[in-house]
Amino acid sequence: WKHLEVAVFALKGSTLLSVQKYKEALATYEDARRISQSAADQGDPIGQILALQMMLCKGSTGIAMNDFKLAAEQFALAGDKAEEIGDPFQLMEARRMQGYCLEQMRDKPAAWGAYHLSLDAGETLDESMRKSSTLPYVGKALLVLANTQAKKEEFFALEGRLNTVLGIGWQDR
């Protein structure tokens, strides 16, 4: 039944977020994460997935608050959880959002690293999933960072890698 309890907390958190009660939303998502983790600890396999989802919700709340440090930390935790449970899609998403938050904080080297972790995870997805995912955004962000940081060699190597992973013309999609 814990998954139903988590669903109620997630709905409450979303409602609080929609009326800009950010601290309350964060606390509610944290309650849901703790319940999820408790379920996982008791052997419920959905618990890990729900805990990951609540971490992503907390990261999104951080963005809504313009607290990119909090958001980056939550997305980093979500990435760790996604890696732990073997979910490359959510790993790609968590690291992408971590990179975005780090960029907003003007920490380009850390953003570069997070985006690379996202790309690494995205490469493991099957071709149809890669092309319909947010992986092209990761690619564009990496190319912009390579260009703005004068990483000419990395830019061309990265462009070739992205063409291999996403197909020629991926930037136009």
Side-chain angles (χ1 to χ4, degrees), residues 131 136-137 140 143 163 166-173:
K131 290 183 178 179
Y137 293 105
K140 288 176 185 176
L143 290 176
N163 286 338
L166 294 169
I168 301 294
W170 64 269
Q171 292 170 306
D172 299 328
R173 293 186 208 125

Side-chain angles (χ1 to χ4, degrees), residues 1-11 27-58 81 84-85:
W1 295 99
K2 289 189 185 280
H3 66 283
L4 298 175
E5 192 175 354
V6 170
V8 170
F9 276 91
L11 178 60
T28 302
Y29 288 138
E30 178 56 22
D31 289 341
R33 189 206 59 77
R34 279 197 305 271
I35 294 165
S36 301
Q37 191 59 54
S38 171
D41 293 345
Q42 294 173 10
D44 185 349
I46 196 76
Q48 295 280 33
I49 296 166
L50 292 173
L52 168 60
Q53 291 300 316
M54 294 306 102
M55 291 172 187
L56 294 170
C57 288
K58 288 174 70 178
K81 178 64 79 174
E84 177 188 329
I85 64 176

